[in-house]
Amino acid sequence: MKLRAEIRYLLLLSLAMQISLAALPQEREFIHYTNQDGLPYSAITDFAQDSQGFMWVAMRNSICRFDGYEFIEYETLDTAGQNVQLKVPVFLTGNNGEVFVTTTDSRLFRYIEELDKYEEVIIPGEYSAYSNILMQENGDMIFLQDGQPYVADSEFDLILPLHEVYVDSKQFIKGRNFIRIAEGRGKLAFLSSDEYLISVDQESGQAYKFAVRYSHPDNLHLFDIDSYNNLWISDAEIGLTRIVLDSGEEIKFCDDCEESRRIPHNMVRSVVYDNELNVWMGTENGIAIWSPVYDNIDYLKYDPANPDGLNSNAIYKIFPDNLGNIWVGTYFGGINIWYSGHEFFSIRSAGFGPYDLGGKEVSYITEDSNGDIWVGLEGSGVNRISSETGIVTRFVNEPGQNSLSYNNVHPVMEGPDQKIYIGTYTGGLNIYDPVTGLFSYINMDNTD
C-alpha cells in the first residue's frame, strides 16, 4: 500500500476541494507530527522513502517507519542479535528501494524486508573505521578510509581503491587526504583537505579538479549532488555554495549576500527541489526558498501567531517524497509536512470530455501496478485514469456485450495476476483482464 496514495487521489477527485492557486510561500500550511502524535523523538536527522512508499524517519538515536497513520519504532540488531542504540543515524537508499542506516560511529545496518528488521552489515576489520559512506545508483558503496576513497559491493565482499575503478582519477586522488564525498546522476565529487574538489564522470571515467574554499572541516554541514549535476557545499561561516560540476561555475548564498542570494543563516543542512523546481534550503534559522527562474528568494519561519506554519526554525533535513510533498525534519519540533496538493492538485469533475469522470458519486479509489487510477462510481460503473495521459476510460454495463455486469460499483482492486477485481451491487464480482480487454464474472446472477 503506497503512503497516502488514496488520500492523494481523494484530493484530486473531491468536487468540494478548495485550491489557492495564488498562495504565497509564507502562507504555506504545514501538518506537524511531534511526541504527542506518536513520534518517538522530536529531533529529526534524516528521511527516506522505500519502494512501498513508506517513510522512514531517523532521530538522534533511533529510527521509525510511518505509514501515513502511525509511527513504528524499529530495533537495529548487531551480529549477536542484540539491540544497538544508534548514534545520529542517516539513511542510504538504492535504486531498488533497499534501505540502509549508517551512524557516526561507523556502523552499517540493512533493512531485511522478509524479517521486518534491521541487521548489521559486517565490514572487514581494516575498513571498519570508515567515514562518509554513500550508496551509488548501481547499489555499490563508496566510502573514505584514512582519507582515501574506496568502492565496495553492498556485501563488502569486494573492496577496491577508487582510482583502480576510475583510472583517470588517480592523477588527482593519490597523495591527497579527502574529507567529504558525494554521488548523484552519474557524478562523483570528493573534497580534499587542501581545498580542492575532484569530480569524476562515472560513465566516461574522466576526472576534473576545481579549487574551492571552506573555513574548516568541522564547519561543513552539507556536501551533496542534486539531480541537475550541481554540488551544494554548506559552510557555517561562509554560507552555501552551488557548483556546476560540468563547468565549475559557482553561486553563493549567505546571510549578508545581496538580496536575491540572502539566506537567514549560514548553517545549511539540507537542499532539495520542489515540483516547481524551487530550491528549498533548510537552515538553522528557518527555510529559504529560491526560484532559479525568477532569481528571487522567500522565507519560511516559525511564527507563534501562525499554528499552521513551521513550528521550529532549526531545520535538520528536508525531503521531497514520491508525491511531491515536502517533509521537514526539525530539531525538537518533530516533523513538519507541506502537502504539495494545496497548490498543485487539480479537480476531476464529472462530464463528457476525455479527462472527465463518468459520474459524481465516487465509492472507491485504488491504484494498479502501472500507476493507473481506478475509480468506482455508484450508478456510473468504473473509470480508469491513465497515469501517462490522464485520459479517462469508462467501463459501464452494455446489455448483450462483454461488459461490466452492473453500474453500481463499490470495491475495486488489482489481484496478484494483475487483473482488476470489481465488486458490484447485485451484479456479482467482475474480473477485468487488461491484456484481453474482456470481463469474466463470479456470481453475476446474485440479486441478494
Side-chain angles (χ1 to χ4, degrees), residues 206-224:
Q206 287 187 302
Y208 308 88
K209 183 177 75 170
F210 308 104
V212 295
R213 186 174 72 90
Y214 58 88
S215 61
H216 190 275
D218 291 342
N219 289 330
L220 296 174
H221 293 278
L222 179 68
F223 189 77
D224 193 25

Side-chain angles (χ1 to χ4, degrees), residues 232 242 249-253 257-262 276-279 281 289-299:
W232 296 84
R242 188 192 76 169
E249 177 188 356
E250 294 186 2
I251 296 180
K252 293 187 180 297
F253 302 84
C257 287
E258 60 181 289
E259 187 173 354
S260 64
R261 301 283 189 274
R262 190 173 303 149
E276 290 190 331
L277 302 184
N278 297 311
V279 181
M281 310 172 191
I289 303 178
W290 175 58
S291 169
V293 176
Y294 299 104
D295 195 24
N296 60 16
I297 202 160
D298 288 294
Y299 307 97

Side-chain angles (χ1 to χ4, degrees), residues 241-274:
T241 303
R242 188 192 76 169
I243 301 175
V244 180
L245 289 177
D246 292 331
S247 65
E249 177 188 356
E250 294 186 2
I251 296 180
K252 293 187 180 297
F253 302 84
C254 60
D255 58 11
D256 59 357
C257 287
E258 60 181 289
E259 187 173 354
S260 64
R261 301 283 189 274
R262 190 173 303 149
I263 55 180
H265 200 284
N266 281 341
M267 185 181 291
V268 180
R269 290 190 172 91
S270 193
V271 172
V272 303
Y273 290 82
D274 65 20

Side-chain angles (χ1 to χ4, degrees), residues 399-427:
Q401 304 292 322
N402 180 269
S403 65
L404 193 68
S405 66
Y406 201 74
N407 285 335
N408 195 335
V409 172
H410 281 265
V412 183
M413 65 171 289
E414 182 183 39
D417 54 3
Q418 295 186 317
K419 295 179 181 179
I420 306 300
Y421 290 74
I422 304 166
T424 69
Y425 181 70
T426 73

